[in-house]
Amino acid sequence: MLHKVYDNEEIRNIYTALGVSVGTEEDSKALNMAKLRYHKIVIMTDADIDGSHISTLILTFFFRYMKELIENGYIYIAQPPLYLLKKGNKKIYAYNEKEREEFTLEMSPDGKGVEVQRYKGLGEMNPEQLWETTLNPEHRILKQVTIDNAVEADSIFSMLMGDEVPPRREFIEKNAKYAKIDA
């Protein structure tokens, strides 16, 4: 099974880009980090539910095959905004629905006259907006991944993608009320 992971071209590209390699035959899961090129690896996906799923997949990969990167604090998740609110020459970025509602009322107590742009993906931002919100070290929001949240992501992903239906059904029924369905 492990050889299938390393046979994947995209996975090999990640190892090559990072400069890391897999250990010896006796310790095939150990990561040789002697030539690690980066000490801050940022996962940047869309702010919507699809982006969350992709982040979970990538976190699961790092947790299962490059756990040392998480243990050493090198993995981060970028938090792009979901909304841009404008009124006159004032603009505010909102990162979730609650912030959108709060900022709308701050800008206009009756909520009128506020232009709201929802970003369905990073590609909808122009380069200046992407720099300003997600790339600029002075303003960006990065969440460092810890083993605790990587374990949780791995566990949830394994359960959702596994063969056992009852735990998946229970999870979906318990959490469906929190789901945001993109139109």
Side-chain angles (χ1 to χ4, degrees):
M1 170 69 173
L2 194 57
H3 71 282
K4 287 184 180 181
V5 171
Y6 302 126
D7 285 345
N8 180 285
E9 184 178 351
E10 286 78 13
I11 298 298
R12 284 194 321 269
N13 290 340
I14 291 172
Y15 279 89
T16 302
L18 295 176
V20 297
S21 60
V22 179
T24 64
E25 289 292 322
E26 300 83 44
D27 190 16
S28 63
K29 287 190 94 174
L31 193 64
N32 181 344
M33 298 198 335
K35 295 182 180 178
L36 179 65
R37 292 185 178 119
Y38 310 100
H39 292 90
K40 185 175 276 185
I41 299 156
V42 179
I43 299 169
M44 188 166 55
T45 61
D46 294 346
D48 62 6
I49 194 70
D50 292 332
S52 296
H53 290 156
I54 292 166
S55 288
T56 300
L57 286 169
I58 295 168
L59 281 176
T60 299
F61 165 73
F62 280 128
F63 178 74
R64 291 184 178 171
Y65 300 102
M66 298 180 156
K67 193 173 185 177
E68 295 89 338
L69 296 175
I70 298 172
E71 292 169 337
N72 285 295
Y74 298 154
I75 306 291
Y76 295 81
I77 299 175
Q79 298 294 296
L82 195 52
Y83 298 100
L84 169 61
L85 292 84
K86 292 182 189 176
K87 183 169 184 181
N89 61 0
K90 184 177 181 180
K91 65 179 182 177
I92 300 175
Y93 291 99
Y95 291 80
N96 55 51
E97 187 65 31
K98 183 179 179 199
E99 282 186 359
R100 184 198 61 79
E101 292 170 4
E102 290 172 2
F103 295 157
T104 299
L105 293 176
E106 280 179 28
M107 295 174 94
S108 173
D110 63 2
K112 294 182 179 175
V114 178
E115 181 185 334
V116 178
Q117 178 182 354
R118 184 181 188 287
Y119 295 117
K120 291 193 182 247
L122 296 171
E124 290 188 1
M125 291 183 191
N126 65 45
E128 293 80 20
Q129 291 170 324
L130 187 60
W131 168 255
E132 182 181 340
T133 62
T134 314
L135 298 174
N136 185 343
E138 293 181 25
H139 301 286
R140 70 183 178 199
I141 299 172
L142 294 181
K143 293 185 178 181
Q144 188 174 36
V145 176
T146 64
I147 285 295
D148 291 343
N149 54 28
V151 169
E152 181 181 357
D154 179 60
S155 174
I156 290 171
F157 181 73
S158 294
M159 182 262 306
L160 290 174
M161 301 304 285
D163 293 332
E164 295 188 36
V165 174
R168 180 171 44 248
R169 177 179 288 129
E170 181 182 332
F171 179 86
I172 291 169
E173 288 173 355
K174 181 180 174 187
N175 293 284
K177 62 185 170 206
Y178 302 112
K180 299 271 190 237
I181 308 300
D182 292 334

